[in-house]
Amino acid sequence: MSSMRGLQVLLAAVVACSVGCGGGEPKDKPPLAPVQGKLVQKGAPLANAMVEFMPESGAPSTATSDGQGAFELTYRDGSKGAKIGPHKVKVTVGGIIPAPMDPNAPPPAPPKPPTLYLIPEPVQVKEGENTLEITVPEKGQPG
């Protein structure tokens, strides 16, 4: 019986340490800046597109545009923003099934195969608030 109690104490210590030990920011987390913006294609908002900001090194930040093309980037740990510095930007359209707003709505149509668009020029994320309008090229490639 005492070995069972010892196992319980050990398990409780492991759980407590995994939750409480080493908490806080990851050591490799770079400085982030808030980034919001709008995706535009052919002069119109680009809705339900996934946008990915990829820094020269480190983890990307991502978002999905809303019905008006608006997005707000989130870093891999759930923090708002993107690493400060230049980024390659990739936009993916299709392959995303939007959640129905009405639970009684019919199921959505199957998604179209995704199309990938690469923004030709790097996008700079600066310290402080970043509000961007990103023009997505008309021609993409299969994703």
Side-chain angles (χ1 to χ4, degrees), residues 3-21:
S3 65
M4 183 62 139
R5 179 72 181 146
L7 183 59
Q8 289 174 334
V9 169
L10 178 62
L11 181 59
V14 169
V15 169
C17 189
S18 67
V19 171
C21 295

Side-chain angles (χ1 to χ4, degrees), residues 3-143:
S3 65
M4 183 62 139
R5 179 72 181 146
L7 183 59
Q8 289 174 334
V9 169
L10 178 62
L11 181 59
V14 169
V15 169
C17 189
S18 67
V19 171
C21 295
E25 298 287 319
K27 289 185 181 4
D28 66 343
K29 183 176 177 179
L32 303 178
V35 179
Q36 61 184 4
K38 184 175 184 179
L39 298 177
V40 177
Q41 188 178 50
K42 299 182 206 169
L46 186 58
N48 301 318
M50 188 177 110
V51 61
E52 185 173 9
F53 275 51
M54 300 170 291
E56 292 174 346
S57 66
S61 292
T62 60
T64 300
S65 63
D66 66 13
Q68 312 308 307
F71 67 88
E72 183 177 16
L73 291 177
T74 302
Y75 190 65
R76 70 175 173 191
D77 68 354
S79 300
K80 299 290 184 194
K83 181 178 178 181
I84 296 169
H87 292 256
K88 291 181 181 178
V89 177
K90 177 172 72 170
V91 177
T92 305
V93 178
I96 300 171
I97 302 175
M101 299 302 279
D102 178 1
N104 299 321
K112 295 178 183 177
T115 302
L116 174 67
Y117 300 90
L118 298 175
I119 306 306
E121 297 295 320
V123 174
Q124 185 72 28
V125 173
K126 299 176 182 170
E127 285 189 50
E129 297 283 329
N130 292 267
T131 301
L132 309 169
E133 182 170 294
I134 297 176
T135 301
V136 178
E138 291 185 31
K139 297 279 184 184
Q141 57 194 29

